[in-house]
């Protein structure tokens, strides 16, 4: 327990039970319920008595009893702590009469159908580990920690009172200006700072977009196979998902029109499709924009890792081709810098700025400001551009090591997609079950996302999506060796 933080232990001066007994039982229940954990520091008896506005004598009596029974321990010169020697499982400890823990739960304990559906789709084992070949990890081992730390220190030593107030739901202006300039220059996005909303990662951007654009039952095109995070965010908003197949040119727009012409929106990853890694062709892009204009529909463009491209220059955004402001452009810094940064952005059509602000105010009002200010300086001072250039070289090397390693291990994997991003899509021969192999691989410390998991309907292909951003060349080689063993030794 942090010093100065007092636990919630209520006392009732009008009750027949002595105060020391109320304190004793309150602390005992807190320990047994694991609200207080082993090693946590407890307040002094003097400060607790002052906080509760009672005499110190019942507090001393309660603490002495808890010390005698082994719930607390005293350290000379340090204070009183919850005993570290207590077992992790305290369920076997008898519950005293009239304890709040003895009150049984009554009545139905219902949750929404959406929450129930999410509970049935908990994160699969292959998404839980780090290293080879988790698809969500950038090269954090090469992040310029010293530079970032110096910027954090700069802002910590010189806090601005203005920055301690809400900056509004759009986010910090200096960061929005830096993001708009970067997007115009590097991604050919048509935007100004007043169209940029800072959000807590691309997943929140998708959730927010769904809340603003869709109603219960609204049909939405999604790529098949596609990004499972988008599938869940749109489903949680009550959308009706319309899977549209992806081929070597990206989403098949003509098929989408045939399946559901009047879809309210389309979710696409045109620069580097997840998970197949293909780039949407120019003809498909123009056809998609024309459909949205004619139908009055929206396009959510998820541009999650377009900075990493090795066979050619980065592909310009779909939003930059839009002349009718139908595209909501989503990007994130978590794939470029580090995942726990939790900063993303949305470039909005001007007539959607107010609806997005209105909904954002209800959700969480705004993202935390401190790291927005740090990131704004990181971009303005040139560190962001230098980091991207270094990471392109590094990820190209890691991708090459992965492709060469697949050949060296003679794995039965066909490499799919373009030379881009931080993951590699592969296909297994027909009839091979990728889920079973992926589960065996997790037992060996290798995290391979089955390609079949990315389909809403019946999978047309099986294979793996292998992330290489979070593993060095040695880790990639070891991971491939373990994957080979998981493929060749099924039992």
């Amino acid at each position: 327990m942090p010093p100065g933080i007092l636990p919630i232990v209520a006392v009732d001066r009008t009750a027949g039970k002595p105060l020391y007994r109320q304190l004793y039982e309150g602390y005992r229940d807190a320990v047994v319920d694991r609200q207080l954990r082993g090693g946590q520091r407890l307040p002094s008896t003097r400060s607790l008595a002052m906080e509760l506005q009672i005499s110190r004598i019942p507090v001393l009596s309660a603490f002495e009893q808890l010390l005698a029974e082994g719930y607390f321990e005293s350290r000379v010169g340090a204070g009183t702590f919850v005993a570290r020697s207590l077992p992790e499982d305290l369920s076997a400890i008898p519950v005293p009469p009239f304890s709040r823990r003895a009150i049984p739960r009554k009545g139905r304990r219902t949750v929404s159908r959406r929450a129930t559906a999410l509970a049935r789709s908990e994160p699969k084992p292959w998404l839980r580990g780090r290293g080879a070949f988790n698809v969500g990890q950038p090269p954090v081992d090469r992040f310029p920690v010293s530079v970032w730390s110096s910027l954090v220190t700069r802002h910590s030593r010189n806090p601005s009172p203005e920055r301690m107030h809400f900056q509004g739901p759009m986010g910090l202006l200096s960061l929005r200006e830096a993001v708009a300039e970067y997007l115009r220059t590097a991604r050919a996005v048509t935007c100004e700072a007043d169209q940029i909303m800072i959000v807590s990662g691309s997943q929140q951007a998708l959730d927010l977009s769904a809340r603003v654009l869709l109603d219960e039952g609204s049909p939405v095109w999604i790529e098949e196979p596609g990004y499972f995070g988008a599938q869940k965010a749109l489903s949680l908003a009550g959308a009706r998902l319309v899977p549209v197949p992806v081929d070597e040119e990206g989403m098949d727009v003509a098929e989408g029109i045939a399946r559901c012409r009047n879809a309210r929106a389309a979710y696409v990853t045109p620069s580097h499709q997840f998970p197949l890694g293909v780039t949407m062709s120019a003809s498909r892009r123009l056809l998609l924009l024309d459909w949205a204009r004619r139908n009055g529909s929206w396009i959510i463009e998820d541009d999650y890792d377009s900075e990493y491209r090795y066979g050619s220059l980065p592909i310009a955004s779909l939003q930059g081709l839009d002349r009718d402001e139908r595209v909501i452009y989503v990007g994130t810094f978590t794939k470029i810098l580090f995942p726990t940064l939790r900063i993303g952005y949305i470039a909005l059509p001007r007539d959607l700025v107010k609806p997005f602000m209105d909904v954002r105010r209800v959700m969480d009002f705004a993202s935390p400001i401190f790291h927005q200010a740090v990131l704004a300086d990181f971009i303005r001072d040139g560190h962001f551009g230098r980091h991207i250039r270094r990471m392109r070289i590094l990820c190209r090397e890691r991708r090459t090591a992965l492709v060469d390693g697949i050949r060296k291990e003679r794995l039965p994997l066909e490499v799919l997609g373009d030379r881009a991003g931080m993951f590699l899509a592969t296909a297994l021969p027909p009839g091979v079950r990728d889920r079973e192999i992926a589960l065996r691989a997790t037992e060996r410390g290798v995290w391979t996302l089955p390609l079949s998991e990315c389909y809403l309907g019946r999978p047309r292909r099986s294979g793996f999506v292998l992330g290489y951003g979070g593993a060095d060349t040695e880790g990639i080689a070891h991971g491939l060796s373990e994957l080979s063993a998981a493929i060749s030794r099924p039992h």
Side-chain angles (χ1 to χ4, degrees):
M1 182 187 305
I5 304 299
L6 301 178
I8 299 175
V9 178
V11 294
D12 183 358
R13 295 170 183 80
T14 64
K17 185 183 296 185
L19 292 178
Y20 86 89
R21 189 69 187 181
Q22 294 183 45
L23 287 170
Y24 161 78
E25 291 182 357
Y27 270 106
R28 182 186 184 284
D29 286 353
V31 172
V32 173
D33 283 346
R34 296 190 57 76
Q35 294 170 354
L36 296 177
R37 307 294 177 89
Q40 281 190 255
R41 185 177 181 179
L42 296 156
S44 68
T45 55
R46 189 183 306 277
S47 62
L48 183 58
M50 291 177 61
E51 179 72 18
L52 297 176
Q53 298 182 2
I54 61 176
S55 167
R56 192 181 175 195
I57 294 175
V59 179
L60 287 168
S61 298
F63 272 44
E64 287 174 2
Q65 185 68 26
L66 291 161
L67 284 164
E69 294 184 8
Y71 292 102
F72 289 177
E73 62 187 20
S74 181
R75 303 177 195 170
V76 178
T80 305
F81 298 80
V82 178
R84 291 185 180 275
S85 58
L86 290 170
E88 287 294 319
D89 184 9
L90 302 177
S91 59
I93 295 177
V95 179
F98 308 111
S99 166
R100 62 181 176 82
R101 296 181 64 248
I103 300 174
R105 294 173 175 173
K106 297 180 179 179
R108 298 178 62 190
R109 307 178 67 82
T110 58
V111 298
S112 70
R113 289 191 298 272
R114 295 173 184 174
T116 302
L118 288 177
R120 291 196 296 265
S121 59
E122 292 182 356
K124 301 296 175 61
W126 41 77
L127 298 176
R128 297 173 185 168
R130 289 183 290 179
F133 295 102
N134 189 296
V135 296
Q137 295 181 1
V140 294
D141 56 318
R142 300 297 180 88
F143 181 73
V145 175
S146 59
V147 172
W148 184 265
S149 298
S150 68
L151 294 175
V152 169
T153 301
R154 178 199 301 176
H155 285 273
S156 298
R157 288 178 175 173
N158 302 287
S160 167
E162 180 64 25
R163 295 277 171 83
M164 296 182 182
H165 290 284
F166 285 124
Q167 301 290 309
M170 295 298 283
L172 188 66
L173 178 59
S174 60
L175 178 58
R176 291 190 285 124
E177 290 174 338
V179 169
E181 182 178 350
Y182 166 71
L183 293 180
R184 289 194 300 267
T185 304
R187 303 296 304 121
V189 172
T190 305
C191 67
E192 300 295 336
D194 61 355
Q195 295 173 262
I196 302 297
M197 174 177 278
I198 304 300
V199 293
S200 300
S202 59
Q203 198 64 25
Q204 187 185 45
L206 296 177
D207 179 50
L208 181 57
S209 299
R211 291 172 186 260
V212 174
L213 304 177
L214 306 176
D215 295 311
E216 186 79 25
S218 295
V220 179
W221 292 359
I222 60 164
E223 297 167 323
E224 178 78 329
Y227 175 46
F228 44 85
Q231 294 169 2
K232 292 181 180 179
L234 294 170
S235 295
L236 194 63
R240 177 168 65 87
L241 304 186
V242 180
V244 180
V246 173
D247 58 22
E248 64 277 1
E249 293 188 67
M251 176 183 275
D252 188 341
V253 180
E255 181 63 23
I257 294 173
R259 294 188 179 192
C260 184
R261 175 181 292 273
N262 296 320
R264 177 76 64 86
Y267 169 82
V268 291
T269 53
S271 295
H272 186 226
Q273 199 273 336
F274 186 92
L276 297 182
V278 300
T279 301
M280 180 178 276
S281 66
S283 60
R284 292 270 178 92
R285 290 174 182 238
L286 294 174
L287 185 59
L288 180 62
L289 291 169
D290 182 67
W291 164 80
R293 179 184 62 82
R294 291 175 180 273
N295 201 55
S297 302
W298 301 105
I299 300 170
I300 302 172
E301 178 181 8
D302 189 351
D303 203 18
Y304 60 95
D305 72 350
S306 58
E307 288 80 9
Y308 298 109
R309 197 162 193 90
Y310 319 117
S312 63
L313 293 175
I315 302 297
S317 67
L318 174 67
Q319 193 266 10
L321 297 174
D322 183 15
R323 297 296 176 265
D324 198 44
E325 291 196 282
R326 288 287 167 186
V327 177
I328 294 88
Y329 179 90
V330 173
T332 182
F333 290 103
T334 62
K335 293 290 190 295
I336 309 171
L337 303 181
F338 53 95
T340 56
L341 181 60
R342 305 314 306 152
I343 295 181
Y345 50 85
I346 315 174
L348 296 166
R350 290 195 180 277
D351 60 332
L352 288 185
V353 170
K354 186 179 185 305
F356 268 75
M357 290 176 64
D358 292 341
V359 174
R360 183 71 188 280
R361 287 190 184 97
V362 177
M363 289 178 62
D364 66 348
F365 197 86
S367 298
I369 291 296
F370 181 82
H371 282 107
Q372 292 187 49
V374 175
L375 179 56
D377 285 356
F378 189 79
I379 297 172
R380 293 290 192 194
D381 294 350
H383 304 299
F384 182 66
R386 286 190 289 273
H387 180 63
I388 288 177
R389 289 192 291 272
R390 288 194 295 265
M391 293 306 99
R392 281 190 188 130
I393 296 172
L394 178 65
C395 286
R396 182 172 61 231
E397 292 173 353
R398 292 182 176 182
R399 186 188 187 279
T400 299
L402 177 56
V403 174
D404 291 347
I406 290 173
R407 297 193 186 106
K408 181 179 179 181
E409 291 286 343
R410 297 183 179 180
L411 295 175
L413 297 174
E414 175 192 358
V415 175
L416 308 173
D418 299 332
R419 296 179 59 198
M422 293 183 293
F423 66 84
L424 187 70
T426 62
L428 284 163
V432 180
R433 297 181 177 180
D434 53 6
R435 287 184 179 91
E436 295 179 3
I437 296 173
L439 285 172
R440 293 198 297 269
T442 61
E443 297 172 358
R444 297 174 171 272
V446 177
W447 319 101
T448 57
L449 171 65
L451 183 59
S452 61
E453 284 287 300
C454 300
Y455 286 85
L456 268 184
R458 183 178 179 181
R460 296 178 56 190
R461 280 176 166 172
S462 68
F464 304 114
V465 187
L466 305 176
Y468 50 80
D472 57 21
T473 53
E474 291 79 9
I476 289 170
H478 175 73
L480 287 173
S481 176
E482 295 298 328
L483 179 58
S484 176
I487 293 173
S488 60
R489 290 194 288 275
H491 300 292

